[in-house]
Amino acid sequence: MEENQFEVRTDLAVEAKDMYVEKDESKEEQIEGVVVSEKEIGRVKVTNVEVDEVGAKHIGKNAGSYHTVYSDAIKKQDTSFQEETAKVVTSQLLDLMSKNNVAQDASGLIVGLGNRNVTPDALGPLVVDKVLVTNHLFIHEPQYVQEGYRKVATFTPGVMGVTGIETSDIIQGVMDKYQPGFVIAIDALASRSIERVNATIQLSDSGIHPGSGVGNKRKELSKETLGVPVFAIGVPTVVDAVTITSDAIDYVFKHIGKEWREKDKPSKALAPAGLQLGDQSLSEEDLPSLEKRQKIFGMIGALDEQEKRALMQEVLTPLGHNLMVTPKEVDGYISDMAHLLAQSINAAMHENINIDNFAQYTR
Amino acid sequence: MEENQFEVRTDLAVEAKDMYVEKDESKEEQIEGVVVSEKEIGRVKVTNVEVDEVGAKHIGKNAGSYHTVYSDAIKKQDTSFQEETAKVVTSQLLDLMSKNNVAQDASGLIVGLGNRNVTPDALGPLVVDKVLVTNHLFIHEPQYVQEGYRKVATFTPGVMGVTGIETSDIIQGVMDKYQPGFVIAIDALASRSIERVNATIQLSDSGIHPGSGVGNKRKELSKETLGVPVFAIGVPTVVDAVTITSDAIDYVFKHIGKEWREKDKPSKALAPAGLQLGDQSLSEEDLPSLEKRQKIFGMIGALDEQEKRALMQEVLTPLGHNLMVTPKEVDGYISDMAHLLAQSINAAMHENINIDNFAQYTR
Amino acid sequence: MEENQFEVRTDLAVEAKDMYVEKDESKEEQIEGVVVSEKEIGRVKVTNVEVDEVGAKHIGKNAGSYHTVYSDAIKKQDTSFQEETAKVVTSQLLDLMSKNNVAQDASGLIVGLGNRNVTPDALGPLVVDKVLVTNHLFIHEPQYVQEGYRKVATFTPGVMGVTGIETSDIIQGVMDKYQPGFVIAIDALASRSIERVNATIQLSDSGIHPGSGVGNKRKELSKETLGVPVFAIGVPTVVDAVTITSDAIDYVFKHIGKEWREKDKPSKALAPAGLQLGDQSLSEEDLPSLEKRQKIFGMIGALDEQEKRALMQEVLTPLGHNLMVTPKEVDGYISDMAHLLAQSINAAMHENINIDNFAQYTR
Amino acid sequence: MEENQFEVRTDLAVEAKDMYVEKDESKEEQIEGVVVSEKEIGRVKVTNVEVDEVGAKHIGKNAGSYHTVYSDAIKKQDTSFQEETAKVVTSQLLDLMSKNNVAQDASGLIVGLGNRNVTPDALGPLVVDKVLVTNHLFIHEPQYVQEGYRKVATFTPGVMGVTGIETSDIIQGVMDKYQPGFVIAIDALASRSIERVNATIQLSDSGIHPGSGVGNKRKELSKETLGVPVFAIGVPTVVDAVTITSDAIDYVFKHIGKEWREKDKPSKALAPAGLQLGDQSLSEEDLPSLEKRQKIFGMIGALDEQEKRALMQEVLTPLGHNLMVTPKEVDGYISDMAHLLAQSINAAMHENINIDNFAQYTR
């Protein structure tokens, strides 16, 4: 089996880094040119992946900063936790803007990528619908513009399957006319992990390739090609059947591994039947050894992560069964995530909008 | 009262022509540089207004051909009549394309003007959602393109109040990249007559001014400025309170005029109470003389059409009561009209789609 | 002309009272059995009309309390004013509930009347989508129900044109099974005044007649017929062409009356041309006397409000031109009003939800 | 592991029958009290499962007729194939109605189960929106009802999580008032197979349990409990992660089994690398024997279908990862399926609507 033929593409830098490490278990966790740091802000976890040109070659992502925000506020339908998450997203976006020397009065173009009529792909257009737009006021009614706001315009290019035109061409055409000081593009992504769906927000300054989210590689829009900073905000909203299956097999391994590890522990042996003790979650250390995995799942147990996915993909794709799926509750999740991101962007754009008042600027 | 201050703008050439005639009753119906002809195709009426440069100055519309299709198929919710109407729209569009020497294989850009989130203004985007797009197939999968199709792309620029960018700038930016052989722009209009709302479709080759439909005058997009033919398809979907009131006062005049004319007719005198005899509609000849109108409505009866509207506008506008309204059933009307126009455009674009099979190409 | 043939029906008690007074100018403002009081709460005006059995016969509305809240917070798209208005609506609803001795733990059924697929008629269903529902938790998961909540269920019966079944039958069928302690029904109404559209919220305890809002009279649902209090919350969202025209003619009368009254005032005479001085609004006292109206406006000037509307209706209805219209911005107005009312209802239903935290319970 | 604890519930009789057979491989395909027959109508496959009281106990489904229509017309977005499928659905519904002696003039109540605001669960409400409703015309405007139509009413009860009331209570309440001659209930289901999602339509006369589609067992509505025939039309629109994983593992088993079977075939040996020969699909006979499975796939290979699913469910459910998912294209699939079913129902309801003209009665 050719190794790269079925290699799994990912839009998330944290996944790309993990994949690189998984490929060869002998490799160090520390990758040359890739610096990873983590922190927790309240209930929200943030991972920062800094990739230089050397690291870019290793993990197959552009050089740049990737800030990944983890929060299950949307999935838990917890509105105050959603506000808390929005504040973290605002701070991460401001951090990226500051790293890229975006001036206080630089004008922004917020681009909503994706297909408005396919709910899990509609995140970008829905965010843009809720972003506060000021550019036309600066031009046509400057008397109504207070201090503390910058020029913001928005734009929804559509997708090539609907317009018939390369999305990157449309964006470049509009930028030739509007000439913003920076671009923020919002897009729905595919995830390599079911846990990350609607629970991860990646912010980066490494540019975008419109259309890549659904398997196509189109022309890149980045600081290099456009001359202005291009920030991307991506949220995984779909997974494929290969991911679900691969994740599930891993959970089975870990579950059985944990059972084995714990079976002689007195606490478990003495616990009344049906009583769940302690943490129910599974961790990497629950994963049994290769030998044991092979016992559970034969030759499939012997495959590493990449090989297992490649096999699944080889089997499912020609049958038409490697479909992209999304949680049944997609309408509510996407709507709430759009609200969260629009709040975050509004607060990051304007000095006058901040974490205490952003709710009233966002419908 | 300054005459032009409150002059009523109209997007429809037939209305502009009528307004010109109304302004001075001594004027001939025949206007220099404006040739009007009418025909009926089944239940559908078509008016053709040809305006040259001289006529353009008289009626305040660009020179060009204006084909106006009248049909109450939408308001009557009669689906087979809607198909009949769609066929007439196709023929009128093909006629305009032929007049402008659009080649069989010229590529088309279909632009859906208007605001997707305001139903009566969403006609353009909704039409574009249903148009058959082929351009990307010609480029990326030419092996799947049969004979009998041309390259078609679509685009939805949004409105300045939402994007913050001039709509004409966005369109020009996209055209610089896509370079179509011709443009078709669909837009919702305001009407000067409540009867025309959702019952009139104007097709013209005289270019567009995005945004003009709601009272702004923006940069023009036309053959002159873009170098390729620009066809506009406009449908009135809203009227203002001035129009409703002015129309209603006219109906009162005609109603009373007809009563007076008919009061001594034996047929009416002898008819059983409540029995409606003959035609209930009112016509121009029912309008009483100036003197009689004055008797009915005093000084207001003495005003001509323009003056009456100007007075209404002067009174209602500062009170905030000259609002734009739309029929309560707007959702259904706009959805049906979008379907009708998408069918018409699909049939006009491709040799392989015609009046017998267009339904199956349009969702 | 038979007086009642064209009599204009209204859903608002304040309009019914005004109509009664208008009918005969000799009548006192004070109607037997009808007590009217007004107050202002911040920027919000509240009119309270108490109708007893005697008053009911005069003004053609059921006996009961009618609280009418006036606020243009929706039309002004002012979100903090909308919250202020929601608080007033909550207080009025609590007041009505208290008058009707609704117990702290009485269970409520919130009914969203109207047609979900016709935007200006969708207010009821949209409110119900946002109301906090607790009844099933009390029954199936009582362990999760905290103190300070009552049982609330919701229901959307549809309209007869869509279901084929009398709406009142559907509601009664559901009530036979659920047996709530009280009912709150939300409905979109037609208004006799364009100013009141989306700016008036009527709360009453006099029952409802589902379907009456669009011209039909169906079976009544009230405390009398159902045995439990039935509160109605109604918002005018449409007007007919007769109303727009009649309002506009009135404004013209008043405008000209005001011009006359003021023409010799020094302030006006000395004001620079185009400078607007003082209040631009028109009031009842600007209306010229009958005699003057007749002199200026001929026979139409001589008609009273009812006669003028009756004439318009007689003319427009057979022509199919007395259509119901709604402001062009209907989508946004209805969505905001639904949010406002859902907040108000949620706060009135549960002790634990109040004017300070209702935003977080309403999506 | 207790056998029934994790038993997978299914809404489809064909799945229930397969599960029964799978449980014990020694069992005959022929189950007592269950008669299965298959036929093909053009490109559409129909399976008929007749279950009597004895069979009901075996397969855990109510006694009755279950007609299952298989067609991938929706997934292929092939509109003419969709019409072909609609005709087959009509014929199956008429067949069930005839078996249950539904009279030509019996009145029907069409109930759209499910949650309108969750797209994959909105099928029922969306179908009902498109069904031709006639009951109110028979009652209020009988003069407009032609021969060849029956009384049809519709109803959308909502779901308990939204209304707070048992769905079966709401339906019974409405039936007490409307008293139809028969009921047709449309619902979105969960499938035990990813292939069946949006590709299977089950029609049955064995009653419904509203809410069962998402894991709850509520009160049954059937001929037995209501006294009139209750037809259910169900379409699987979601699967859970367990199903996707279990299906995928099966495909891997079969894929590897097929490779082995074919590895010595000359045709394959001589084929150029990468050339795909013949049929790519996998069949039951590609599944390796239990012994071989165990050898290749370890302990998981030794589990039968039920045990494998039970294990997955045991692992994924406590982690919150057995989520229900739906294909990314859910919006388009559900909209097309609703159109297909509404056409089928309209044609089955009225003599005057048939397979040649149903398109024009369905929006």
Side-chain angles (χ1 to χ4, degrees):
Chain A
M1 200 186 309
E2 207 178 54
E3 197 185 322
N4 284 334
Q5 192 181 353
F6 296 107
E7 191 158 2
V8 183
R9 191 189 44 70
T10 175
D11 297 303
L12 297 177
V14 287
E15 291 185 348
K17 186 228 26 161
D18 289 349
M19 284 161 69
Y20 178 78
V21 173
E22 281 160 9
K23 261 195 223 161
D24 182 352
E25 300 204 3
S26 68
K27 269 178 225 157
E28 298 278 321
E29 267 281 339
Q30 182 61 41
I31 307 169
E32 197 193 350
V34 178
V35 180
V36 181
S37 60
E38 298 195 355
K39 61 181 163 183
E40 306 213 351
I41 305 171
R43 285 177 286 178
V44 181
K45 196 179 126 199
V46 179
T47 301
N48 189 1
V49 181
E50 298 287 334
V51 181
D52 68 12
E53 294 301 335
V54 176
K57 274 176 204 138
H58 287 310
I59 69 168
K61 303 296 294 177
N62 280 2
S65 295
Y66 298 83
H67 297 209
T68 309
V69 174
Y70 302 90
S71 159
D72 48 5
I74 300 285
K75 291 201 279 189
K76 284 189 169 151
Q77 300 186 260
D78 177 338
T79 50
S80 70
F81 189 10
Q82 286 168 23
E83 284 219 354
E84 191 183 327
T85 307
K87 288 171 191 177
V88 175
V89 174
T90 297
S91 69
Q92 300 306 307
L93 180 53
L94 285 172
D95 189 43
L96 279 181
M97 288 170 68
S98 157
K99 271 187 205 164
N100 286 272
N101 305 312
V102 171
Q104 193 70 33
D105 63 346
S107 63
L109 176 65
I110 320 294
V111 179
L113 299 171
N115 184 346
R116 186 184 285 277
N117 295 320
V118 173
T119 306
D121 197 29
L123 181 65
L126 292 177
V127 169
V128 153
D129 283 353
K130 292 164 177 269
V131 162
L132 185 69
V133 173
T134 55
N135 184 61
H136 57 310
L137 302 176
F138 276 87
I139 292 167
H140 295 283
E141 304 179 274
Q143 69 275 23
Y144 293 125
V145 182
Q146 297 168 8
E147 284 287 304
Y149 294 92
R150 74 164 83 227
K151 288 184 194 166
V152 170
T154 67
F155 184 61
T156 307
V159 296
M160 201 179 72
V162 167
T163 63
I165 311 175
E166 288 278 3
T167 303
S168 55
D169 282 352
I170 293 182
I171 296 172
Q172 280 184 321
V174 172
M175 287 190 61
D176 289 348
K177 298 287 172 188
Y178 175 57
Q179 304 198 316
F182 63 96
V183 174
I184 298 175
I186 301 103
D187 201 4
L189 310 175
S191 175
R192 250 176 45 106
S193 154
I194 204 163
E195 279 186 86
R196 294 207 184 92
V197 171
N198 299 319
T200 304
I201 300 161
Q202 174 179 278
L203 301 98
S204 75
D205 59 4
S206 63
I208 51 165
H209 324 68
S212 72
V214 286
N216 306 312
K217 181 127 188 155
R218 307 254 174 260
K219 295 171 204 167
E220 179 177 293
L221 299 177
S222 66
K223 192 168 189 174
E224 208 176 332
T225 63
L226 294 173
V228 299
V230 177
F231 305 106
I233 302 180
V235 176
T237 64
V238 294
V239 283
D240 58 9
V242 162
T243 293
I244 291 178
T245 306
S246 176
D247 279 9
I249 291 175
D250 266 15
Y251 289 126
V252 169
F253 288 163
K254 289 173 185 167
H255 177 85
I256 294 177
K258 193 179 183 184
E259 296 265 315
W260 283 348
R261 285 203 303 137
E262 293 181 353
K263 67 183 166 196
D264 301 321
K265 285 191 189 159
S267 67
K268 174 132 194 194
L270 296 174
L275 181 61
Q276 298 194 333
L277 290 167
D279 187 9
Q280 288 301 301
S281 65
L282 301 170
S283 66
E284 285 306 311
E285 61 190 49
D286 292 321
L287 193 68
S289 67
L290 177 65
E291 191 192 357
K292 278 187 176 166
R293 291 206 309 267
Q294 226 162 336
K295 199 165 159 189
I296 308 171
F297 217 151
M299 54 167 277
I300 291 175
L303 303 177
D304 72 19
E305 174 69 12
Q306 308 278 2
E307 290 163 345
K308 199 171 65 209
R309 295 180 74 104
L311 170 64
M312 292 291 169
Q313 203 155 351
E314 191 193 351
V315 173
L316 296 181
T317 305
L319 297 171
H321 288 326
N322 188 23
L323 70 177
M324 284 283 177
V325 297
T326 191
K328 174 173 164 304
E329 300 81 0
V330 59
D331 307 86
Y333 287 168
I334 298 291
S335 163
D336 287 355
M337 183 63 84
H339 191 72
L340 189 162
L341 293 183
Q343 284 187 321
S344 308
I345 291 170
N346 285 339
M349 288 301 99
H350 308 287
E351 245 189 321
N352 262 12
I353 306 182
N354 54 48
I355 55 175
D356 294 321
N357 70 1
F358 63 14
Q360 81 195 70
Y361 288 90
T362 313
R363 305 311 304 260
Chain B
M1 198 185 313
E2 205 177 54
E3 197 187 321
N4 284 333
Q5 191 182 356
F6 296 108
E7 191 160 2
V8 183
R9 191 191 45 70
T10 174
D11 297 303
L12 296 178
V14 289
E15 291 186 347
K17 187 227 24 161
D18 289 350
M19 285 163 68
Y20 179 77
V21 174
E22 280 161 9
K23 262 195 223 163
D24 183 349
E25 298 205 3
S26 68
K27 267 178 225 154
E28 299 278 320
E29 266 281 338
Q30 181 62 41
I31 308 169
E32 198 193 348
V34 177
V35 180
V36 180
S37 60
E38 297 194 354
K39 61 182 164 183
E40 306 213 349
I41 304 171
R43 287 179 283 179
V44 180
K45 198 179 124 198
V46 179
T47 301
N48 188 1
V49 181
E50 299 286 333
V51 181
D52 68 13
E53 294 301 335
V54 176
K57 275 176 202 138
H58 287 309
I59 68 170
K61 303 296 293 179
N62 279 4
S65 295
Y66 297 84
H67 297 209
T68 310
V69 174
Y70 302 90
S71 160
D72 48 5
I74 300 286
K75 291 200 279 189
K76 285 188 166 151
Q77 300 186 261
D78 177 337
T79 50
S80 70
F81 188 11
Q82 286 170 21
E83 284 218 353
E84 194 184 325
T85 307
K87 288 172 191 176
V88 174
V89 174
T90 297
S91 69
Q92 300 305 308
L93 181 52
L94 285 172
D95 189 42
L96 279 180
M97 289 169 68
S98 158
K99 271 186 203 164
N100 285 273
N101 305 312
V102 171
Q104 193 69 34
D105 62 346
S107 63
L109 177 65
I110 319 294
V111 178
L113 300 170
N115 184 345
R116 187 184 286 278
N117 295 322
V118 174
T119 306
D121 198 28
L123 182 65
L126 292 177
V127 169
V128 153
D129 283 352
K130 291 164 177 272
V131 161
L132 185 70
V133 173
T134 56
N135 184 61
H136 57 311
L137 301 177
F138 275 88
I139 292 166
H140 295 283
E141 304 180 273
Q143 68 276 23
Y144 293 125
V145 182
Q146 297 167 10
E147 284 286 303
Y149 293 93
R150 76 164 81 228
K151 287 183 193 167
V152 170
T154 67
F155 185 60
T156 306
V159 297
M160 202 179 72
V162 168
T163 63
I165 312 174
E166 289 279 3
T167 304
S168 55
D169 283 352
I170 293 182
I171 297 173
Q172 281 185 321
V174 173
M175 285 188 64
D176 289 350
K177 298 286 172 188
Y178 174 57
Q179 304 201 316
F182 62 97
V183 173
I184 298 175
I186 301 102
D187 202 4
L189 310 175
S191 176
R192 251 177 43 110
S193 154
I194 204 163
E195 279 186 85
R196 292 208 185 90
V197 171
N198 299 319
T200 304
I201 300 159
Q202 174 179 278
L203 302 99
S204 75
D205 59 5
S206 62
I208 52 165
H209 324 68
S212 70
V214 286
N216 306 313
K217 182 127 187 154
R218 306 256 175 260
K219 295 171 204 166
E220 177 177 294
L221 300 177
S222 65
K223 192 169 188 173
E224 211 176 331
T225 62
L226 295 173
V228 299
V230 178
F231 305 105
I233 302 181
V235 176
T237 63
V238 294
V239 283
D240 58 8
V242 163
T243 293
I244 290 177
T245 307
S246 177
D247 279 8
I249 292 174
D250 266 14
Y251 289 127
V252 168
F253 287 163
K254 289 174 186 168
H255 177 83
I256 295 177
K258 194 179 183 183
E259 296 263 317
W260 282 350
R261 284 202 305 135
E262 292 181 353
K263 66 183 166 195
D264 302 321
K265 284 193 191 162
S267 69
K268 175 133 196 195
L270 297 174
L275 181 60
Q276 297 195 332
L277 290 167
D279 187 13
Q280 289 302 301
S281 65
L282 301 169
S283 66
E284 285 307 310
E285 63 189 50
D286 292 323
L287 194 68
S289 67
L290 177 65
E291 193 192 351
K292 280 187 175 165
R293 291 207 306 266
Q294 229 163 332
K295 200 165 160 189
I296 307 172
F297 218 148
M299 55 165 277
I300 290 177
L303 302 176
D304 72 17
E305 175 69 14
Q306 308 279 1
E307 290 162 347
K308 201 171 63 211
R309 296 181 72 105
L311 170 63
M312 293 290 167
Q313 206 157 349
E314 193 195 348
V315 173
L316 296 181
T317 305
L319 297 170
H321 288 324
N322 187 22
L323 71 177
M324 284 283 176
V325 296
T326 191
K328 173 172 164 305
E329 300 83 359
V330 58
D331 308 85
Y333 287 169
I334 297 292
S335 161
D336 286 355
M337 183 63 86
H339 191 72
L340 189 162
L341 292 183
Q343 284 187 321
S344 306
I345 291 170
N346 285 340
M349 288 300 99
H350 308 287
E351 244 188 319
N352 262 13
I353 306 182
N354 53 50
I355 55 177
D356 294 321
N357 69 1
F358 63 13
Q360 79 193 71
Y361 288 89
T362 314
R363 306 310 301 265
Chain C
M1 198 187 313
E2 207 177 55
E3 197 187 320
N4 283 334
Q5 191 181 356
F6 297 106
E7 191 159 3
V8 183
R9 191 191 44 70
T10 175
D11 297 304
L12 296 176
V14 288
E15 292 186 349
K17 186 231 20 161
D18 289 350
M19 285 161 68
Y20 179 77
V21 173
E22 280 162 10
K23 263 196 225 160
D24 183 351
E25 299 204 1
S26 69
K27 269 178 223 154
E28 298 278 322
E29 265 283 338
Q30 181 62 42
I31 307 169
E32 197 194 351
V34 178
V35 180
V36 180
S37 60
E38 297 194 357
K39 61 181 162 184
E40 305 213 353
I41 306 171
R43 287 178 283 179
V44 181
K45 198 179 125 198
V46 179
T47 302
N48 190 2
V49 181
E50 300 286 334
V51 182
D52 69 12
E53 294 301 335
V54 175
K57 275 176 203 137
H58 287 309
I59 68 167
K61 304 296 295 177
N62 280 1
S65 296
Y66 297 85
H67 297 208
T68 310
V69 174
Y70 302 89
S71 160
D72 48 5
I74 300 284
K75 291 202 278 188
K76 285 189 168 150
Q77 300 185 260
D78 177 337
T79 51
S80 70
F81 189 10
Q82 286 169 22
E83 284 219 353
E84 192 184 326
T85 308
K87 288 171 190 175
V88 175
V89 174
T90 296
S91 69
Q92 300 306 306
L93 180 53
L94 286 172
D95 188 43
L96 279 180
M97 288 170 67
S98 158
K99 272 186 204 164
N100 286 273
N101 305 313
V102 171
Q104 193 69 34
D105 63 345
S107 63
L109 176 64
I110 320 294
V111 179
L113 300 171
N115 184 345
R116 186 184 286 277
N117 295 320
V118 174
T119 307
D121 197 28
L123 182 66
L126 291 177
V127 170
V128 152
D129 284 353
K130 292 164 177 274
V131 162
L132 186 69
V133 173
T134 56
N135 185 61
H136 56 310
L137 302 177
F138 277 88
I139 292 166
H140 295 283
E141 304 180 275
Q143 69 274 27
Y144 293 125
V145 182
Q146 298 168 9
E147 284 286 303
Y149 293 92
R150 74 165 83 227
K151 287 184 195 169
V152 170
T154 67
F155 185 61
T156 307
V159 296
M160 202 180 71
V162 168
T163 62
I165 312 175
E166 289 279 3
T167 303
S168 55
D169 283 353
I170 293 182
I171 297 171
Q172 281 184 320
V174 172
M175 287 189 61
D176 289 350
K177 298 287 171 186
Y178 175 58
Q179 304 199 320
F182 63 97
V183 174
I184 298 175
I186 301 102
D187 202 4
L189 310 175
S191 175
R192 250 176 45 106
S193 154
I194 202 163
E195 280 187 86
R196 294 207 184 92
V197 171
N198 300 319
T200 305
I201 299 160
Q202 175 180 276
L203 302 98
S204 75
D205 60 4
S206 63
I208 51 165
H209 323 69
S212 69
V214 287
N216 307 313
K217 182 128 188 151
R218 307 254 175 259
K219 295 172 204 166
E220 179 177 293
L221 299 177
S222 66
K223 191 169 190 173
E224 207 176 333
T225 63
L226 294 173
V228 299
V230 178
F231 305 106
I233 301 181
V235 176
T237 63
V238 294
V239 283
D240 59 8
V242 162
T243 292
I244 290 178
T245 306
S246 177
D247 279 9
I249 292 173
D250 264 18
Y251 288 127
V252 169
F253 288 171
K254 288 174 186 167
H255 177 84
I256 292 175
K258 192 179 184 185
E259 296 264 316
W260 277 4
R261 286 202 303 135
E262 293 182 353
K263 66 183 166 193
D264 302 321
K265 285 192 191 162
S267 66
K268 176 133 194 193
L270 295 174
L275 181 61
Q276 298 194 333
L277 290 167
D279 188 10
Q280 288 303 300
S281 65
L282 302 170
S283 67
E284 286 306 311
E285 62 190 49
D286 293 321
L287 195 67
S289 69
L290 178 64
E291 192 190 355
K292 274 192 180 163
R293 288 208 310 265
Q294 206 162 353
K295 205 165 152 189
I296 323 169
F297 302 114
M299 55 170 275
I300 287 177
L303 302 177
D304 72 17
E305 175 70 11
Q306 307 278 2
E307 290 162 345
K308 200 171 63 212
R309 295 181 73 104
L311 171 63
M312 292 291 167
Q313 204 155 352
E314 192 194 350
V315 173
L316 296 180
T317 304
L319 296 170
H321 289 322
N322 188 21
L323 69 177
M324 283 284 178
V325 296
T326 191
K328 173 174 163 305
E329 300 82 0
V330 59
D331 307 85
Y333 287 168
I334 298 292
S335 162
D336 287 355
M337 184 62 86
H339 191 73
L340 190 162
L341 293 182
Q343 283 187 322
S344 307
I345 292 171
N346 285 340
M349 288 301 99
H350 308 286
E351 244 188 319
N352 263 12
I353 306 182
N354 53 49
I355 55 174
D356 294 321
N357 69 1
F358 63 13
Q360 79 194 71
Y361 288 89
T362 313
R363 305 310 303 257
Chain D
M1 199 185 312
E2 206 177 53
E3 195 186 325
N4 283 334
Q5 190 180 356
F6 295 107
E7 191 159 4
V8 183
R9 190 193 44 72
T10 174
D11 297 302
L12 296 178
V14 288
E15 292 186 347
K17 186 225 30 160
D18 289 350
M19 285 162 68
Y20 179 76
V21 173
E22 280 161 7
K23 262 196 224 161
D24 182 350
E25 298 203 4
S26 68
K27 268 179 226 156
E28 299 278 320
E29 266 284 335
Q30 182 61 41
I31 307 168
E32 199 192 349
V34 177
V35 180
V36 180
S37 60
E38 298 194 355
K39 62 182 163 184
E40 306 212 350
I41 305 171
R43 286 178 284 178
V44 181
K45 198 179 126 195
V46 179
T47 301
N48 189 2
V49 181
E50 299 287 333
V51 180
D52 68 13
E53 293 301 336
V54 176
K57 274 175 203 138
H58 286 308
I59 69 169
K61 303 296 293 177
N62 279 3
S65 295
Y66 297 84
H67 296 209
T68 309
V69 174
Y70 302 90
S71 159
D72 48 6
I74 300 286
K75 290 201 279 189
K76 285 187 168 152
Q77 299 186 261
D78 177 338
T79 51
S80 70
F81 188 11
Q82 287 169 21
E83 284 218 353
E84 194 184 325
T85 307
K87 289 172 190 177
V88 174
V89 173
T90 298
S91 69
Q92 300 306 307
L93 180 53
L94 286 172
D95 188 43
L96 279 180
M97 289 170 69
S98 157
K99 272 186 203 163
N100 285 273
N101 305 312
V102 171
Q104 193 69 35
D105 62 347
S107 64
L109 177 65
I110 320 293
V111 179
L113 300 171
N115 183 346
R116 185 185 286 276
N117 294 322
V118 174
T119 306
D121 198 29
L123 182 66
L126 291 178
V127 169
V128 152
D129 283 352
K130 291 164 177 272
V131 162
L132 185 70
V133 173
T134 56
N135 184 61
H136 56 311
L137 301 176
F138 275 88
I139 293 166
H140 295 283
E141 304 180 275
Q143 68 276 23
Y144 292 126
V145 182
Q146 296 168 11
E147 284 287 302
Y149 293 93
R150 75 164 81 227
K151 286 184 195 167
V152 170
T154 67
F155 183 61
T156 307
V159 296
M160 201 178 73
V162 168
T163 62
I165 313 174
E166 289 278 2
T167 305
S168 55
D169 282 352
I170 293 182
I171 296 172
Q172 280 183 322
V174 172
M175 286 189 64
D176 289 351
K177 297 288 170 185
Y178 174 58
Q179 305 200 315
F182 62 97
V183 174
I184 298 176
I186 300 101
D187 201 4
L189 310 175
S191 175
R192 252 178 40 110
S193 154
I194 203 164
E195 279 186 86
R196 293 208 183 91
V197 170
N198 299 320
T200 304
I201 300 160
Q202 175 179 278
L203 302 99
S204 75
D205 59 4
S206 62
I208 52 165
H209 323 67
S212 69
V214 286
N216 306 313
K217 182 126 189 155
R218 306 257 175 259
K219 295 171 205 166
E220 177 175 296
L221 300 177
S222 66
K223 192 169 188 172
E224 212 176 330
T225 62
L226 295 173
V228 299
V230 177
F231 305 106
I233 302 182
V235 176
T237 64
V238 295
V239 284
D240 57 8
V242 162
T243 292
I244 289 178
T245 306
S246 177
D247 279 8
I249 292 174
D250 263 17
Y251 288 126
V252 170
F253 288 172
K254 288 174 186 169
H255 177 84
I256 292 176
K258 194 181 182 183
E259 295 263 319
W260 278 2
R261 283 203 306 134
E262 292 181 354
K263 67 182 166 194
D264 301 320
K265 283 191 191 164
S267 69
K268 174 131 194 194
L270 297 175
L275 180 62
Q276 296 195 333
L277 291 167
D279 187 12
Q280 288 302 300
S281 65
L282 301 169
S283 66
E284 285 306 311
E285 63 190 49
D286 293 322
L287 195 69
S289 68
L290 177 65
E291 192 191 355
K292 276 191 178 164
R293 290 208 310 264
Q294 206 161 351
K295 202 164 155 190
I296 323 169
F297 302 113
M299 55 168 275
I300 287 176
L303 302 177
D304 71 18
E305 174 69 14
Q306 308 279 3
E307 290 163 346
K308 202 171 62 212
R309 296 181 72 106
L311 170 63
M312 293 290 166
Q313 206 156 348
E314 192 194 350
V315 174
L316 297 181
T317 305
L319 297 171
H321 289 324
N322 188 22
L323 70 177
M324 284 283 176
V325 295
T326 190
K328 175 173 163 306
E329 300 83 358
V330 59
D331 308 84
Y333 288 168
I334 298 292
S335 163
D336 287 355
M337 184 62 86
H339 191 73
L340 189 162
L341 292 183
Q343 284 188 321
S344 307
I345 292 170
N346 285 340
M349 288 300 98
H350 309 287
E351 244 188 319
N352 262 12
I353 305 182
N354 54 50
I355 55 175
D356 294 321
N357 70 0
F358 63 13
Q360 78 193 71
Y361 288 90
T362 314
R363 305 310 302 263

